[in-house]
Amino acid sequence: MHSAVVTPGGDRMRWVELPGAEPCRVYVHGLGAASLPYFTEVAVHPQLAGRRSLLVDLLGHGISDRPTDFDYTLEAHADALAAALEAAGVAGAELIAHSMGGSVAIVLAARHPRLVSRLVLVDANLDPLTAAPGTGGSRGIAAYSEEEFLSRGWAEVGERAGPHWWSTMRLAGREALHRSATHLVRGTSPTMRELLLKLAVPRTYLLPEADGPLPGADDLVRAGVQVVAVPDCGHNIMLDNPTGFVRATAAALTPPNGADGRRTGA
């Protein structure tokens, strides 16, 4: 396990590192998750193995510190991740990032372009959302005030999360989880989608085939983003269909000559 101080208060972000060739690959989890349980199986798959790989836990999550004086905006998450990557000697990394982690990765690429050479976004949030009481995910968490979430919302969300998500969500700091969800729902200005459209690095967006067409996909494709539908999976593509995820991710990281961003199956 490795770590780096990423805040003025001395808070540490931690990651597990797999040795291999450069450029580095960085795996970033989603809200209430952690990178080891979500990415280890695919990161060591023969089609993706052999590269230096960092499986990073964002502040407030997994094995990283859980400061209560950190605001957990997407920008703050991105800047903390940048500090960790700088400390690890990483530049021009290929980021494979899921859900909220994909949103953080977009902001990272926009704010710290030297650190990112390629993005693979795994069903990432691109647009602001509306908080919705009683629902799952970030929308349900953000429907509570922070005081409500700390007093009763934590337990209610745990009941709705199910045993798989709860296994990592229970490791997250409560303030971290609520603030991260609130800022994820709020989004950024410009939006994550607008930032993604303007990035110059190669970009791929993976989504579950069962979700149907990705809203705004035509604009993404025109901007050079490859949009790839992966079959037989839900939101957690790397867990539900590891083979399909690996195939799509390997193709995104080593695109064939003449790749033009057209949507394909995986």
Side-chain angles (χ1 to χ4, degrees):
M1 182 176 67
H2 302 259
S3 71
V5 173
V6 296
T7 69
D11 302 295
R12 287 185 174 271
M13 185 175 288
R14 296 181 177 84
W15 64 91
V16 170
E17 185 164 333
L18 305 176
E22 298 285 352
C24 184
R25 288 180 182 157
V26 178
Y27 292 84
V28 188
H29 61 82
L31 178 70
S35 283
L36 274 174
Y38 277 75
F39 285 116
T40 298
E41 179 180 1
V42 294
V44 301
H45 189 281
Q47 286 184 263
L48 294 178
R51 296 283 291 278
R52 183 188 179 200
S53 299
L54 276 59
L55 281 68
V56 179
D57 283 351
L58 297 171
L59 275 185
H61 292 72
I63 57 176
S64 290
D65 286 350
R66 302 158 180 77
T68 58
D69 58 350
F70 191 73
D71 61 16
Y72 295 99
T73 64
L74 293 173
E75 294 87 350
H77 273 304
D79 290 347
L81 178 56
L85 297 183
E86 293 276 9
V90 171
E94 299 173 342
L95 266 72
I96 300 96
H98 179 231
S99 197
M100 183 187 80
S103 304
V104 172
I106 292 169
V107 177
L108 175 72
R111 291 168 71 92
H112 305 276
R114 188 183 69 85
L115 298 177
V116 181
S117 65
R118 189 180 296 270
L119 288 176
V120 178
L121 305 172
V122 186
D123 211 19
N125 301 67
L126 299 182
D127 304 300
L129 301 169
T130 302
T135 62
S138 58
R139 298 173 68 213
I141 295 172
Y144 296 95
S145 69
E146 185 167 309
E147 182 180 0
E148 290 170 339
F149 185 74
L150 296 179
S151 64
R152 61 180 176 85
W154 169 260
E156 294 172 358
V157 166
E159 292 175 358
R160 294 196 295 266
H164 178 82
W165 195 15
W166 183 245
S167 69
T168 56
M169 186 187 290
R170 65 191 176 87
L171 304 176
R174 299 184 186 188
E175 293 87 355
L177 186 63
H178 182 266
R179 294 175 196 170
S180 294
T182 298
H183 288 294
L184 180 61
V185 167
R186 185 175 301 161
T188 57
S189 180
T191 66
M192 294 86 77
R193 182 183 297 272
E194 290 168 333
L195 293 173
L196 178 62
L197 288 169
K198 294 179 180 179
L199 293 176
V201 298
R203 296 144 294 161
T204 300
Y205 189 102
L206 309 183
L207 75 154
E209 185 177 75
D211 285 359
L214 178 68
D218 290 344
D219 288 338
L220 292 175
V221 171
R222 279 192 290 269
V225 181
Q226 296 187 72
V227 179
V228 181
V230 181
D232 304 321
C233 64
H235 179 57
N236 297 321
I237 300 174
M238 73 292 289
L239 300 177
D240 298 337
N241 184 358
T243 300
F245 175 86
V246 166
R247 185 182 302 119
T249 301
L253 297 175
T254 54
N257 290 334
D260 61 2
R262 290 174 295 179
R263 179 172 178 160
T264 63

